[in-house]
Amino acid sequence: MTNGETEVYFYHLESRTLEQVLPALLERSLERGWRAAVQAASPERVEALNTLLWTYRDDSFLPHGAASDGAPESQPVYLTDSEANPNDAAVRFLVDGATLNDAAPYTRVVHIFDGHDDGAVARAREAWATAKTQGYSISYWQQDEEGRWQQKA
């Protein structure tokens, strides 16, 4: 799937929440023709994100599902609390401190973390160091006051 060129992105939330930015990031992934997986830290969080993606905007539809919906292989966006990749996703979003042992199967792995949570920032720094040691192409993005992404590294 990736030819060894996995990119690892870090999105540092400052002025907007995960619930506000995740749908747009998923829409952009689908526009690129990528299937996506969103890995959360718990089954409860997966269900909350599943509900969010049905209700985040009245005028759009973001095709997605979780294990509770069945047929994970047919979901363009799959929500999970495990490292499994049943929908053959090209991009993996890690939220709420979720971790991934092997980024190599993906075109892009995206860590999204809350800049107001010291624990989340520390986990992101650790993930950055690991990705760098493993030789992945890394970039760091931070929100400005208006919520726009600015590449910082």
Side-chain angles (χ1 to χ4, degrees):
M1 180 184 305
T2 65
N3 80 0
E5 297 297 325
T6 301
E7 299 172 311
V8 180
Y9 280 30
F10 291 82
Y11 282 91
H12 185 153
L13 299 173
E14 286 285 325
S15 59
R16 294 193 179 166
T17 66
L18 173 70
E19 291 79 6
Q20 292 171 314
V21 303
L22 183 61
L25 293 172
L26 292 170
E27 287 172 346
R28 282 190 218 129
S29 295
L30 294 177
E31 287 167 6
R32 288 178 166 216
W34 292 346
R35 295 170 78 74
V38 178
Q39 184 180 335
S42 70
E44 295 80 18
R45 186 64 165 144
V46 167
E47 286 307 311
L49 292 173
N50 198 358
T51 299
L52 166 75
L53 295 179
W54 286 119
T55 61
Y56 74 98
R57 200 169 66 210
D58 290 338
D59 64 342
S60 71
F61 172 71
L62 185 62
H64 71 282
S68 61
D69 300 313
E73 66 283 349
S74 67
Q75 301 296 342
V77 175
Y78 184 68
L79 308 170
T80 184
D81 65 339
S82 78
E83 291 192 29
N85 187 13
N87 72 331
D88 196 29
V91 61
R92 182 88 175 194
F93 292 88
L94 301 172
V95 302
D96 302 330
T99 60
L100 181 66
N101 287 320
D102 184 12
Y106 299 94
T107 300
R108 183 173 294 163
V109 172
V110 180
H111 296 262
I112 304 174
F113 64 98
D114 182 349
H116 302 289
D117 178 335
D118 292 340
V121 171
R123 285 187 300 276
R125 286 183 177 139
E126 188 175 306
W128 174 282
T130 299
K132 187 173 182 180
T133 299
Q134 293 173 339
Y136 291 113
S137 171
I138 305 171
S139 63
Y140 170 74
W141 300 78
Q142 188 172 20
Q143 287 179 314
D144 65 14
E145 297 79 33
E146 288 82 39
R148 292 183 306 248
W149 295 110
Q150 304 290 320
Q151 187 171 7
K152 301 289 185 171

